[in-house]
Amino acid sequence: MTSLISDPTRYAFDRFAQGDLIEAGRLFREILTADPSQPDALHGMACMARANGQNAMAIALCGKALKAGAGLPASRLARIHLTLGLALIAEGHSEPARAALVVAQALQPSDPRTFAALGESLLLLGRRAEAKAALEQAAKLAANDAEYLTRLGQIHLEGGEAEQAIVCFEAVTQRCAQDGRAWANLGAVLFGLGQYGKAQDVLLRACELGARTAETLNNLGLVLMALGDLPSARAILGEALSLRPEDGRIANSLGTVLMEMGEEAVAETLFSAVMGRESGFDREQARFNHATLLLGKGAFAQGWKEFESRHALLGYAPETPVWGGSVGEAPIAVTAEQGLGDSVQFLRFLIEAAKRRPLRLRFPAAELVSFMPQLDRERILESEGPVESEVSLLSLPFVLGLQNVPDDKPYLETGLHSEQKTIGLCWAGNPSYRFDLRRSLKAKWLEPLKGISGIRIVSLQRGECPDWMGAVDLSTPQALARAVSQCALVISVDTLVAHMAGAVGRPLWLLNRRGGDWRWKDVPWYQNVRQFRPDGFLPEAWPPALEQVAEALRAWEQ
């Protein structure tokens, strides 16, 4: 039959390009039967081998094609080198792949595919800047650059260059305005950057354009959760899980929303299922989520054990062996892998740890131990120096084998007395926290507290202080402890200031979001805590709650 075709190899490559691998393979074999050293047919069989995942065979066939086709035009030799380079990449031979692709580039400098493949080989070699430059060149040469810009955006994203990734993905949405996948990529990056409002619009657009996939819906659900629309997030994540029922990441996302909405039994079922069938990150995330459920209701024996899963999530890599709680005189280092609020909450456990070992404290809040009279100071050594092992501050309850409800008595003493009718106010936490929009308040919402007679309000919020509040020194953890100690009452969102109030023994009115963190659920970690919550999940539900706080303040008696 090939005798009836004017250019059999070109026709065979056309069939290959159209996905007719059976016919293309038959034609290439027929050509090679007549001429076993026909270079283009050998190259065609190499392409067939790559399509079937037989990259080692493709490499061998490309070698034969190059040997047989030494006199071929540069453009045809370039294509063989391109196929060789791609097969070498697939086999993990990065440097030989780069060499083959450099030759292909020199032979055919106008082919964007060569630059794109060269970029992949450079990426595998750790030469990221050169890889990005190669992809940029591929995009410039291509008539349709969407594919290369998408890949370039992914490389930027993998390198933590989210802003550059957005530029690439936005360009793709401009060129392919009806491509839902392009909008989904852009939405995922915006979500990662915390640009939730824009991410919501973009992800909804992706769904409208046909990219209503489990991945897109998972991102959209998490965006809605961050924005405070938990009912919608629950519905969207439920749909995502129905599309991919065995996806541990989506199950974790849905379980987190259910926890916040008070549906803890259903959430626990989801987490248990993930822990039973998954491994790796998704399993550890489910263990951590389950731990917060357990700790919130006081199931400490299992809760503290599962709480250790956070190390895998955070990439915790101790420099020395981890302390297991044994008694001895060889010092251990105590570190902290999370925020100052967590550190203050867990400082109380240093008292028992110091009874077992001398401690070298290596975390930012360590200066607060000067306010801990129950701590044997002789067991606290200089932070630098040799240690036998180390332990995270948040791991102390686990390694110490603690199973009872923690003592809620104050454990920091500054020596300062509270000033009558002085109220400390903190209305926002770290904005980098994914769900900070639901935790932190806008300063304008505090207006109902302004001008209440008989009280003095001081700002315990770092940053700009409204003119109707008094300013205090908040420059260090010790300074904050002193400032809180001088307050007769502290009103705070769930952040460092709230834990500091409990630690120094000042009454706390906690402005806690609906759902809220495990630390403020059934177990009392501190004395004299009163919680105020909004009636809804959206941030806009807070102003009526602040009116309730103002009403309570008018009736408050020290």
Side-chain angles (χ1 to χ4, degrees):
M1 288 182 61
T2 55
S3 61
L4 303 178
I5 302 171
S6 59
D7 191 338
T9 53
R10 174 171 290 184
Y11 180 71
F13 273 111
D14 287 342
R15 300 310 304 166
F16 176 80
Q18 293 172 24
D20 189 354
L21 302 187
I22 294 176
E23 178 63 8
R26 187 191 67 78
L27 291 168
F28 286 133
R29 285 191 295 272
E30 188 173 323
I31 295 168
L32 289 171
T33 298
D35 183 359
S37 62
Q38 212 285 338
D40 292 315
L42 287 167
H43 178 215
M45 291 303 294
C47 294
M48 293 286 297
R50 279 200 65 241
N52 291 318
Q54 299 171 319
N55 288 290
M57 182 180 293
I59 293 169
L61 287 166
C62 283
K64 291 181 180 180
L66 290 170
K67 184 177 180 180
L72 287 176
S75 60
R76 287 157 71 182
L77 285 172
R79 286 194 288 272
I80 300 173
H81 280 283
L82 172 58
T83 301
L84 174 60
L86 291 169
L88 287 165
I89 288 174
E91 288 291 290
H93 305 310
S94 305
E95 179 53 36
R98 185 201 65 80
L101 292 164
V102 166
V103 174
Q105 175 190 337
L107 291 169
Q108 186 75 348
S110 61
D111 189 343
R113 298 173 303 170
T114 301
F115 282 92
L118 178 60
E120 297 298 336
S121 69
L122 291 165
L123 196 62
L124 291 172
L125 291 167
R127 296 159 64 171
R128 295 186 62 84
E130 294 173 78
K132 288 183 285 188
L135 263 295
E136 288 169 358
Q137 186 62 26
K140 290 177 182 178
L141 292 170
N144 182 355
D145 61 0
E147 175 186 353
Y148 303 119
L149 285 173
T150 297
R151 181 63 184 126
L152 182 58
Q154 291 169 343
I155 293 172
H156 280 305
L157 196 57
E158 291 163 3
E161 301 157 340
E163 295 292 347
Q164 293 93 320
I166 284 181
V167 172
C168 293
F169 291 138
E170 284 184 336
V172 176
T173 60
Q174 291 168 8
R175 289 160 176 71
C176 308
Q178 300 304 308
D179 187 343
R181 293 170 302 176
W183 290 94
N185 286 335
L186 176 58
V189 182
L190 292 168
F191 165 55
L193 283 177
Q195 298 182 25
Y196 301 124
K198 191 173 181 180
Q200 179 184 14
D201 294 339
V202 169
L203 290 168
L204 286 171
R205 177 67 173 157
C207 291
E208 292 170 0
L209 293 172
R212 201 176 184 87
T213 64
E215 182 72 23
T216 302
L217 291 171
N218 183 62
N219 287 334
L220 178 57
L222 291 174
V223 164
L224 291 168
M225 184 182 180
L227 291 171
D229 189 355
L230 268 62
S232 294
R234 184 188 192 282
I236 289 292
L237 290 168
E239 181 183 349
L241 192 60
S242 71
L243 294 174
R244 201 184 293 168
E246 300 300 310
D247 192 309
R249 191 163 54 97
I250 298 173
N252 277 320
S253 299
L254 178 57
T256 303
V257 172
L258 291 170
M259 277 198 302
E260 292 280 327
M261 296 182 72
E263 299 181 51
E264 294 188 349
V266 184
E268 187 167 11
T269 299
L270 284 172
F271 299 144
S272 296
V274 175
M275 289 187 289
R277 69 170 183 264
E278 299 285 344
S279 61
F281 188 90
D282 289 340
R283 180 177 185 274
E284 296 307 307
Q285 183 67 65
R287 287 187 66 220
F288 177 79
N289 292 337
H290 191 232
T292 64
L293 280 175
L294 295 171
L295 295 174
K297 59 186 180 183
F300 293 115
Q302 185 180 355
W304 291 130
K305 180 178 180 180
E306 292 193 359
F307 194 55
E308 292 299 284
S309 60
R310 72 191 187 280
H311 288 162
L313 303 178
L314 297 169
Y316 175 65
E319 297 178 358
T320 59
V322 176
W323 182 51
S326 61
V327 177
E329 292 305 313
I332 65 165
V334 182
T335 62
E337 80 274 10
Q338 293 188 226
L340 285 174
D342 295 313
S343 294
V344 170
Q345 180 190 5
F346 281 73
L347 281 175
R348 69 188 82 201
F349 300 117
L350 290 174
I351 298 169
E352 176 60 32
K355 294 176 182 177
R356 301 193 187 186
R357 290 293 188 102
L359 308 178
R360 296 191 188 277
L361 306 182
R362 297 173 178 173
F363 53 89
E367 63 187 61
L368 290 170
V369 299
S370 63
F371 297 151
M372 296 181 71
Q374 293 177 297
L375 181 64
D376 184 350
R377 295 302 305 279
E378 293 184 359
R379 305 285 282 178
I380 306 300
L381 310 180
E382 293 291 330
S383 61
E384 297 303 318
V387 295
E388 180 185 80
S389 54
E390 68 178 81
V391 66
S392 164
L393 181 63
L394 274 65
S395 292
L396 287 179
F398 172 63
V399 301
L400 294 172
L402 304 180
Q403 299 184 15
N404 297 324
V405 174
D407 191 341
D408 63 0
K409 294 178 182 177
Y411 46 91
L412 297 183
E413 293 183 13
T414 64
L416 299 173
H417 298 288
S418 62
E419 298 176 359
Q420 191 173 24
K421 298 298 182 180
T422 295
I423 295 170
L425 184 59
C426 176
W427 57 92
N430 188 334
S432 66
Y433 174 53
R434 179 181 291 183
F435 304 123
D436 187 62
L437 285 174
R438 295 179 49 229
R439 171 183 65 171
S440 294
L441 312 182
K442 296 178 181 178
K444 65 180 182 181
W445 294 345
L446 304 175
E447 289 294 319
L449 309 183
K450 179 180 178 181
I452 296 177
S453 62
I455 63 172
R456 171 177 175 258
I457 294 180
V458 298
S459 172
L460 299 178
Q461 182 73 46
R462 298 194 70 170
E464 188 173 347
C465 174
D467 56 12
W468 55 275
M469 297 183 197
V472 294
D473 181 12
L474 303 172
S475 59
T476 66
Q478 284 183 326
L480 174 62
R482 293 189 185 97
V484 169
S485 295
Q486 292 175 287
C487 296
L489 171 68
V490 172
I491 302 174
S492 176
V493 297
D494 177 13
T495 189
L496 166 63
V497 170
H499 290 286
M500 191 69 81
V504 301
R506 295 298 178 264
L508 169 66
W509 288 4
L510 181 69
L511 307 177
N512 201 6
R513 70 182 192 270
R514 282 282 298 276
D517 192 79
W518 64 270
R519 294 163 176 83
W520 308 103
K521 293 202 172 174
D522 297 340
V523 177
W525 282 78
Y526 307 106
Q527 297 177 349
N528 205 356
V529 177
R530 178 180 178 183
Q531 297 198 35
F532 292 81
R533 298 176 186 266
D535 287 336
F537 294 107
L538 292 170
E540 289 70 23
W542 271 112
L546 269 297
E547 293 286 356
Q548 295 175 14
V549 174
E551 186 68 23
L553 268 181
R554 294 186 185 95
W556 173 66
E557 294 184 5
Q558 187 174 347

